[in-house]
Amino acid sequence: MSNDTLHTEHTPSDGAINLVAYINPKAAYYQSCKSAIEDIIEVTRQEPGCLRFELYENAAQSQLTLIERFAEQSAFDFHHRQPYTQAVYRLYEKALEKPAELHFMSSISI
């Protein structure tokens, strides 16, 4: 994930930012990446505008999935500027097989 990728406007009609990120660490870095994200979950959930921040892993323990929801673009941007989030990005520079796959989603009203 790069800062350029993250700071693009992705605001759906309700103003919330919904992101599903697929993270594929190199095998030797899997636990480091998982732990780095786990370490920021609680502090991230306390940030203003954070509505959801959840980490999942596949059964093979080869891919992490991060689901984020922030009330608005400014809250999303605030999170990605934090030193603890930036530390995760620095780890990603050496630890990922390929760049994180980011999917910005819009909710569907039924």
Side-chain angles (χ1 to χ4, degrees), residues 19-33:
L19 172 64
V20 177
Y22 298 103
I23 303 158
N24 296 285
K26 296 173 186 172
Y29 287 98
Y30 183 85
Q31 190 58 48
S32 297
C33 288

Side-chain angles (χ1 to χ4, degrees), residues 15-94:
I17 304 300
N18 303 289
L19 172 64
V20 177
Y22 298 103
I23 303 158
N24 296 285
K26 296 173 186 172
Y29 287 98
Y30 183 85
Q31 190 58 48
S32 297
C33 288
K34 180 180 172 183
S35 294
I37 299 168
E38 288 173 333
D39 289 347
I40 70 168
I41 288 174
E42 289 307 316
V43 67
T44 298
R45 288 177 177 167
Q46 299 304 311
E47 292 173 1
C50 179
L51 304 174
R52 184 175 183 188
F53 195 81
E54 298 173 353
L55 181 63
Y56 299 88
E57 65 184 346
N58 66 355
Q61 294 187 330
S62 61
Q63 183 181 68
L64 299 165
T65 301
L66 187 58
I67 299 176
E68 303 180 26
R69 181 171 171 82
F70 288 87
E72 58 194 6
Q73 184 72 44
S74 62
F76 180 81
D77 292 344
F78 174 85
H79 167 68
H80 290 278
R81 285 193 307 266
Q82 297 312 298
Y84 46 85
T85 305
Q86 292 294 314
V88 174
Y89 295 154
R90 285 190 297 278
L91 173 62
Y92 285 176
E93 289 174 10
K94 64 181 176 186

